[in-house]
Amino acid sequence: MKKEYWNKPALGLRERLYLLEVIRGLCITGGVFLGNMWKWLTFRKGALTAYYPEEIRSDYSPANRGRHVLTRRENGGVQCVSCNMCATVCPAYAIEILSAADFDDPCHPKSPERFEIDYSRCIFCGFCVEACPEDAIRMVKEVPDFPGFDRDAMWAGRDLLMNWRPTGDPAKQYPAASPSPVEVQP
């Protein structure tokens, strides 16, 4: 036998007559449809439809987080110093960085040999941008070109992140690398 609960909701007569609720829902949907159709027929603004690749919706927020870009130094190299802060703070584990030693530049002893973002895992939270102490990674308004059937094509490598929309105005400037002192033998 089924137990009766003390807080069981009681349906009114209108809710028990299910067909009336269905007709009420169809009236609401039909009213919106006919209103938009009337606006379209009288050449006023009706339903807003954006044809995405060609048009971008005007009501996007100016702070929309889309594709990632890496900033460049004055010499054309990547601003990133491979501190792995962005990869550490990423909740989706979408960023992979492989560091390489760069002994020629004393201000930047490390640089990324490989910097990749897996867009099939990225949730576009922007934590990587906030965590970067070097202002090396940013997010621009445009979204990546995603549709496809291959997950391997959803990886963005260092070349794409640097060359898609070159950005060369990092907030943190470094002094130019001075030539290493030459030792004089007596």
Side-chain angles (χ1 to χ4, degrees), residues 38-137:
W38 177 252
K39 288 178 185 176
W40 184 75
L41 290 173
T42 57
F43 299 106
R44 292 183 291 161
K45 188 176 182 178
L48 179 64
T49 303
Y51 299 98
Y52 171 64
E54 295 85 23
E55 297 177 3
I56 297 176
R57 288 178 44 173
S58 61
D59 60 345
Y60 271 171
S61 168
N64 181 40
R65 294 186 295 257
R67 185 184 284 274
H68 299 79
V69 292
L70 290 176
T71 57
R72 295 180 178 199
R73 293 189 208 132
E74 292 175 1
N75 64 2
V78 66
Q79 180 77 9
C80 178
V81 293
S82 296
C83 66
N84 280 324
M85 291 287 289
C86 56
T88 303
V89 78
C90 181
Y93 304 109
I95 300 174
E96 291 185 10
I97 301 173
L98 179 63
S99 299
D102 185 13
F103 298 115
D104 297 332
D105 192 354
C107 293
H108 309 95
K110 288 192 320 184
S111 65
E113 182 180 321
R114 195 180 89 215
F115 191 105
E116 294 178 343
I117 298 177
D118 183 4
Y119 279 118
S120 67
R121 299 175 84 181
C122 180
I123 59 173
F124 299 95
C125 61
F127 288 169
C128 54
V129 177
E130 294 175 17
C132 184
E134 304 294 325
D135 188 32
I137 187 167

Side-chain angles (χ1 to χ4, degrees), residues 22-40 44-47:
V22 171
I23 292 171
R24 184 172 154 251
L26 287 174
C27 288
I28 293 171
T29 305
V32 171
F33 171 74
L34 292 175
N36 283 333
M37 183 62 77
W38 177 252
K39 288 178 185 176
W40 184 75
R44 292 183 291 161
K45 188 176 182 178

Side-chain angles (χ1 to χ4, degrees), residues 157-169:
R158 182 178 144 181
D159 295 334
L160 176 66
L161 294 171
M162 283 184 65
N163 299 325
W164 176 71
R165 170 136 336 142
T167 306
D169 58 343

